Amino acid sequence: MSSDLQWLLLRNYNSFMVKRGPEGKTFSTEHGNLRNLHSHKFSGLSNAKTIDIKDSGSGIQITTRKSKVSPHAVRSARTTLTIRNRSGPRRAFGVVAGLAKRGYRPDLRTAALARTSALIAAQNEKKPALPKKLRGRKAAARS
């Protein structure tokens, strides 16, 4: 079945859809959807090639789907790369950009890089907030 036909069947009735308000955007929680938007371009269900980037305990996991595999082979149809936390953001960005350079869904390059950078930013520990400095009369009264 073609990906266009799959999208036509899935777009109105699918358990991953999340509707926000009557006129708002429709989001999606499916695997392989980098932007979590309910659209054919980002759909992880209807496209033959998908990229799924998620956070795991050991680092960032990048999962791609092999396009020329039997539809019955679910586990062996996916390739998983794990980038360790200690590797740094440059390595993660290089791996993600390398997928697009090799021709695996180059249209998803910016979305994949954005998702990776958001996961890396979430992994970093926040710096403690500095105490507020007193100015003017309050500072003079304290000293």
Side-chain angles (χ1 to χ4, degrees):
M1 191 176 346
S2 72
S3 65
D4 294 327
L5 180 59
Q6 286 179 359
W7 175 248
L8 287 173
L9 296 172
L10 289 172
R11 70 181 178 157
N12 292 330
Y13 308 102
N14 127 22
S15 63
F16 298 107
M17 282 177 33
V18 179
K19 293 184 179 181
R20 295 287 181 219
E23 296 294 323
K25 285 188 175 181
T26 304
F27 297 103
S28 179
T29 60
E30 65 199 32
H31 294 286
N33 193 329
L34 292 174
R35 299 279 307 269
N36 291 340
L37 290 175
H38 184 66
S39 70
H40 178 53
K41 178 180 178 179
F42 297 112
S43 176
L45 297 174
S46 67
N47 288 312
K49 294 181 178 180
T50 60
I51 301 172
D52 186 28
I53 301 173
K54 60 184 172 184
D55 195 14
S56 68
S58 59
I60 296 174
Q61 262 190 347
I62 302 170
T63 307
T64 56
R65 189 190 305 175
K66 298 175 190 173
S67 57
K68 296 180 180 178
V69 178
S70 167
H72 303 294
V74 177
R75 176 81 177 179
S76 61
R78 300 188 186 283
T79 305
T80 303
L81 280 154
T82 303
I83 301 169
R84 293 179 302 168
N85 292 335
R86 297 185 305 266
S87 297
R90 297 284 300 243
R91 172 150 170 72
F93 295 148
V95 169
V96 171
L99 285 171
K101 282 182 186 174
R102 281 182 260 133
Y104 193 88
R105 292 296 302 267
D107 58 326
L108 294 180
R109 178 186 177 132
T110 55
L113 288 172
R115 180 108 174 175
T116 305
S117 64
L119 288 174
I120 289 172
Q123 286 177 350
N124 293 339
E125 292 182 21
K126 302 227 178 199
K127 294 180 181 177
L130 295 173
K132 265 192 153 178
K133 292 182 181 178
L134 298 176
R135 299 178 179 200
R137 281 189 246 140
K138 292 181 181 178
R142 241 183 167 192
S143 59

